[in-house]
Amino acid sequence: MFEHSKPIWIQGADGEMNGLYAFVFPFTAGREEISVHIAACDVYQAYCNGEFIATGPARCGDGYYRADCLRLKNHVREGENFLTVFVAGYNVNCFEYLCAEPFLQLEAQTGGKFLFGTGGDTAAYAVSEHEQRTARYSFQRTFTEVWHLNDSYARLRGGRGKRQVQTIEVGTKKILPRLSAYPKYSRADGVVIGCGKMSLREEDFNARKLNGVPFLEPRDEYRAYPQSELTANVYRELCSMRTLEKGKVSGGNTLRGGEFRLFDFSVDRCGLIGLDVAAGEDGVLYILFDEILTDGDIDALRMDCLNCIKLHISAGERKFLSLEAYTFRYAKIFCFSGNVEIRRFYTADVSCPLADEVKFTCENKKLEKIFAAALNSFRFNAVDIFMDCPSRERAGWLCDSYFTGRVERYLFGKSRIEHDFLENFLLNERERYIPDKMLPMCYPSLHPDGGFIPTWAMWFVLELNAYTQTNGEALKAKAEKKIDRLLEYFAGFENEWGLLEDLPGWVFIEWSKAADFSNGVNYCVNMLYSLVLRTAGEMYGKRELISKGERIAALVREHSFDGKFFTDHAVRENGKIVFCGERTEVCQYYAFFTGVATPQTYPELFRILTEEFGPDRKNNNPYPDIWFANAFIGNYLRMMILEKYKMYAQLLDEIEGYFLYMADKTMTLWENDTDFASCNHGFASYILVCIARSLTGYCGADAEGNIIFRQDHQSNIGCELSVLAGDSAVRIAVKDGKREFYVERGRAHV
């Protein structure tokens, strides 16, 4: 892959935060194909002759890097050309990237022959148009973007820099291939839906306390620039902005100082923010954005992020594309000073291109809309890895990934993203900052504060097993030692009965009242532990693990069930276990999901859950002492239980009740059952699997590529589903209760 080139970085730039450099490669081309392999840390953007080509790379495990392969044929011209690659080295701990030594390694070939590549003599330039000392964007991500759009920035994108710096070779990198598909960067334009006037005055500053861990100041375990050292403090500016007037759209596309335009992108999208303008004079623009409108306006701090890009624009025609991807349905361009003509405002989507191959139509238009919203949630969260949300975190969380992985396999018949996602955890050979033998809660990332979620490590075992069922056993074999060590870790917290008690870390159950009952002996945790032991035992043929899991399940049934419901936890007082009696809805779902309970062993509880619980319970609640579940994870466990026990009609009806209002508002599905947090969450895409399987009986393809249908399928709702089955494209149609199967491409067979 890299036969002649070397990894390089900038001399004297070791450890600097938020550094951005441009590497320029002049070359002469004809009509031949040119392939360019790129590996980098942390993020790169490639331009050919000033036009955007790609961003990357695919993220990888500690000490490893995945290489992209770009094709230049459609971007080059005969004669002289320039390839410009911007590389950002953040050098901070975050949830989105590992904190690693930045570098670029690039090699171009044509006809199998070396054309150009990185080395000690590579031309590189400091990107002074990019402000370096800015505030962190969120606790989980890196830095806010502040730019100066001028002639030198435009020339640099086209391959002609100004401030050249010295490059040096750095240590050899371990390079792996990328299996996930490359985004197509489809462009979507915003539509103006409002206008008005705004102000930004320091005397109007009103500090707003952001929830969660503060991220505006550095600490021992958190790297950032102090606010006193910032050259651009977007946080203070956001807290000093006021909307003065709102009006209907009028006039042309020119904004003058104090004016704004409000845009709607129709779907809660994720992409690079693009803006083409003509500035009549020097000025300053702010791009504010969010997934929803708050009181008809943008609240750029709603999600504890600084959802803002600041642009200093010099007079002339200017083109801008953000370095990082952002998530929003609504955006606001505020002209603080100067005057600009907005020629185009768009996103270049960073999303899974294979999602475009999926088609679904249905007589029930509500289900069709929810399916589309679920597919949108998948496309924006399944790119190089599975992410929880593409907005405030862009992090590869376990548990979330279990659900997203099942979607990838169902829609495409292959699990390329999931392979890389799981492999990343296996490549992590040393646990930094978290307990030995424990897995990171999300990865690739770095958590110097010692944060980890022990229950998320359990979900890794469940996901690996699900992946193995249809993808072979190579990763399973690599994971055996790591899983053995994980189970050794948990065994150290078993009490006199063999139940887990007082697990350290963030013991996450779900976003509900159940979080208050996670201490002591938590029975949801022990239900999950029982399933993990049984699953690991079956994966590796270890009967002792299966027996141990069954024993824990029996203990949970004995200790937790109060005669009507499962209780959440017990605590130790004066050396003795005291049963607390709190009961949550999600605890009941954990019981049935893990097999601790079945409809046969707990028929009355199952009847209550299926007949008296559901999306209508908040309006008609016969059990006010049972705390409500939330979307993540309780409502999804409920959907899985209904499907498991073949209650398809009820499942589809409840899907409308739980998720239609989300689709109506953002055309994506959410983390919670309200919109106060992320409105675009990867795990939530699992709902499309529930819809499609219930309506068509199509269950996906097995490891050999054979199409699997549910034999008991019956549905009177007409629909059509088009998906990929590995190298084949298939279509399933249901009409008048009959199912028909078509092979659109390839050789798929039932």
Side-chain angles (χ1 to χ4, degrees), residues 461 465 468-469 473 476-477 480 483-484 487 532-547:
V461 180
N465 179 61
T468 300
Q469 301 303 311
E473 300 191 348
K476 184 180 82 171
E480 183 173 4
I483 290 175
D484 285 344
L487 296 180
V532 166
L533 287 166
R534 287 177 275 137
T535 300
E538 292 168 358
M539 287 172 66
Y540 296 110
K542 298 178 179 180
R543 180 62 202 175
E544 68 276 14
L545 294 180
I546 298 174
S547 298

Side-chain angles (χ1 to χ4, degrees), residues 650-721:
Q650 181 174 346
L651 171 63
L652 294 172
D653 183 63
E654 291 195 7
I655 285 173
E656 291 185 29
Y658 279 122
F659 304 109
L660 181 60
Y661 68 95
M662 300 182 187
D664 284 339
K665 192 162 189 175
T666 62
M667 277 306 293
T668 50
L669 302 182
W670 309 345
E671 176 181 12
N672 293 276
D673 54 14
T674 61
D675 60 9
F676 78 92
S678 165
C679 296
N680 191 333
H681 233 68
F683 86 95
S685 60
Y686 184 78
I687 286 302
L688 70 82
V689 178
C690 296
I691 293 172
R693 275 205 298 238
S694 297
L695 290 176
T696 68
Y698 174 68
C699 296
D702 64 15
E704 287 72 40
N706 298 311
I707 301 301
I708 303 171
F709 283 105
R710 202 179 66 229
Q711 297 304 311
D712 63 344
H713 169 259
Q714 286 185 338
S715 176
N716 293 319
I717 301 175
C719 64
E720 280 196 10
L721 172 69

Side-chain angles (χ1 to χ4, degrees), residues 92 234 385 417 543 705:
V92 295
V234 170
I385 60 173
I417 306 172
R543 180 62 202 175

Side-chain angles (χ1 to χ4, degrees), residues 58-244:
R59 289 165 282 183
C60 200
D62 195 3
Y64 293 83
Y65 304 91
R66 299 194 189 277
D68 290 344
C69 182
L70 309 181
R71 308 292 182 181
L72 299 189
K73 186 174 183 179
N74 295 330
H75 304 280
V76 300
R77 58 202 177 202
E78 290 194 32
E80 185 182 39
N81 292 266
F82 292 92
L83 177 67
T84 304
V85 181
F86 294 90
V87 181
Y90 293 122
N91 274 306
V92 295
N93 53 294
C94 65
F95 287 39
E96 185 179 7
Y97 304 110
L98 282 165
C99 187
E101 177 187 65
F103 76 95
L104 171 67
Q105 189 166 9
L106 179 149
E107 187 164 316
Q109 297 181 349
T110 179
K113 296 181 180 180
F114 175 78
L115 186 60
F116 58 85
T118 49
D121 59 349
T122 298
Y125 301 88
V127 186
S128 56
E129 298 81 5
H130 171 263
E131 291 274 4
Q132 187 171 2
R133 291 181 173 271
T134 65
R136 293 283 293 261
Y137 166 79
S138 69
F139 174 70
Q140 299 91 342
R141 293 184 66 180
T142 58
F143 293 90
T144 51
E145 295 191 44
V146 179
W147 292 83
H148 297 262
L149 306 186
N150 50 35
D151 291 337
S152 64
Y153 172 71
R155 285 194 296 268
L156 185 56
R157 281 180 33 160
R160 293 174 171 83
K162 185 177 181 181
R163 289 182 52 203
Q164 188 163 357
V165 291
Q166 181 64 47
T167 59
I168 58 172
E169 293 184 12
V170 295
T172 301
K173 307 301 179 182
K174 299 175 183 177
I175 305 297
L176 294 175
R178 171 182 184 151
L179 293 187
S180 57
Y182 297 93
K184 291 196 305 187
Y185 310 109
S186 302
R187 298 195 175 190
D189 292 275
V191 175
V192 180
I193 59 170
C195 62
K197 295 184 178 180
M198 292 182 68
S199 68
L200 193 171
R201 301 184 302 179
E202 180 62 27
E203 55 266 33
D204 289 336
F205 174 74
N206 183 16
R208 179 166 165 183
K209 183 178 180 180
L210 302 181
N211 295 326
V213 182
F215 61 89
L216 296 173
E217 290 290 350
R219 299 179 300 284
D220 289 342
E221 71 280 6
Y222 185 75
R223 297 201 73 197
Y225 287 111
Q227 288 196 72
S228 60
E229 297 181 8
L230 300 181
T231 56
N233 192 334
V234 170
Y235 168 73
R236 287 194 65 87
E237 292 167 357
L238 286 172
C239 291
S240 301
M241 289 182 188
R242 299 290 180 270
T243 297
L244 304 176

Side-chain angles (χ1 to χ4, degrees), residues 308-568:
C308 175
I309 294 175
K310 182 179 181 180
L311 304 176
H312 298 269
I313 300 181
S314 297
E317 295 184 356
R318 305 296 172 200
K319 291 187 176 183
F320 170 73
L321 194 64
S322 64
L323 183 64
E324 289 278 352
Y326 300 99
T327 302
F328 56 95
R329 174 175 175 173
Y330 300 97
K332 189 177 189 180
I333 299 179
F334 166 41
C335 179
F336 172 68
S337 62
N339 69 83
V340 294
E341 177 191 353
I342 301 172
R343 293 184 171 177
R344 190 176 188 187
F345 184 36
Y346 64 93
T347 68
D349 287 348
V350 179
S351 64
C352 177
L354 295 180
D356 294 342
E357 303 289 332
V358 178
K359 309 296 180 185
F360 178 74
T361 58
C362 184
E363 291 177 353
N364 183 326
K365 295 304 175 184
K366 295 178 181 178
L367 291 176
E368 182 178 308
K369 188 171 190 178
I370 296 169
F371 185 101
L375 184 61
N376 284 332
S377 297
F378 177 85
R379 79 169 74 238
F380 294 120
N381 284 287
V383 188
D384 58 326
I385 60 173
F386 294 142
M387 297 180 289
D388 62 331
C389 60
S391 52
R392 70 175 184 270
E393 296 187 6
R394 295 187 68 77
W397 287 87
L398 291 169
C399 185
D400 299 67
S401 59
Y402 172 87
F403 296 90
T404 318
R406 311 289 60 75
V407 180
E408 181 191 19
R409 181 70 199 189
Y410 184 80
L411 294 180
F412 310 134
K414 292 185 178 180
S415 301
R416 290 176 172 171
I417 306 172
E418 188 168 37
H419 172 278
D420 287 359
F421 178 88
L422 293 172
E423 185 182 53
N424 287 350
F425 281 86
L426 300 180
L427 292 170
N428 183 32
E429 298 172 354
R430 55 188 177 127
E431 309 301 348
R432 292 194 277 175
Y433 305 109
I434 65 175
D436 185 42
K437 303 178 182 178
M438 177 50 58
L439 297 176
M441 56 189 177
C442 62
Y443 194 73
S445 57
L446 191 65
H447 306 277
D449 60 358
F452 70 99
I453 302 179
T455 43
W456 267 208
M458 296 183 188
W459 280 96
F460 174 85
V461 180
L462 302 183
E463 181 177 357
L464 180 65
N465 179 61
Y467 169 89
T468 300
Q469 301 303 311
T470 53
N471 291 280
E473 300 191 348
L475 289 184
K476 184 180 82 171
K478 293 179 181 179
E480 183 173 4
K481 183 177 179 180
K482 192 174 284 285
I483 290 175
D484 285 344
R485 285 167 50 82
L486 177 66
L487 296 180
E488 288 174 10
Y489 174 86
F490 285 125
F493 296 94
E494 294 172 1
N495 62 15
E496 62 268 34
W497 288 303
L499 295 173
L500 295 178
E501 181 176 352
D502 284 332
L503 278 180
W506 178 16
V507 181
F508 189 91
I509 309 301
E510 77 154 0
W511 293 120
S512 72
K513 189 67 175 178
D516 294 343
F517 311 137
S518 62
N519 61 322
V521 180
N522 180 275
Y523 294 115
C524 294
V525 169
N526 279 282
M527 293 170 186
L528 194 60
Y529 186 41
S530 166
L531 178 59
V532 166
L533 287 166
R534 287 177 275 137
T535 300
E538 292 168 358
M539 287 172 66
Y540 296 110
K542 298 178 179 180
R543 180 62 202 175
E544 68 276 14
L545 294 180
I546 298 174
S547 298
K548 183 177 180 179
E550 291 172 344
R551 184 170 67 253
I552 290 174
L555 284 166
V556 170
R557 287 190 285 266
E558 177 186 347
H559 292 197
S560 173
F561 193 66
D562 67 1
K564 195 167 187 178
F565 292 96
F566 286 93
T567 60
D568 277 60

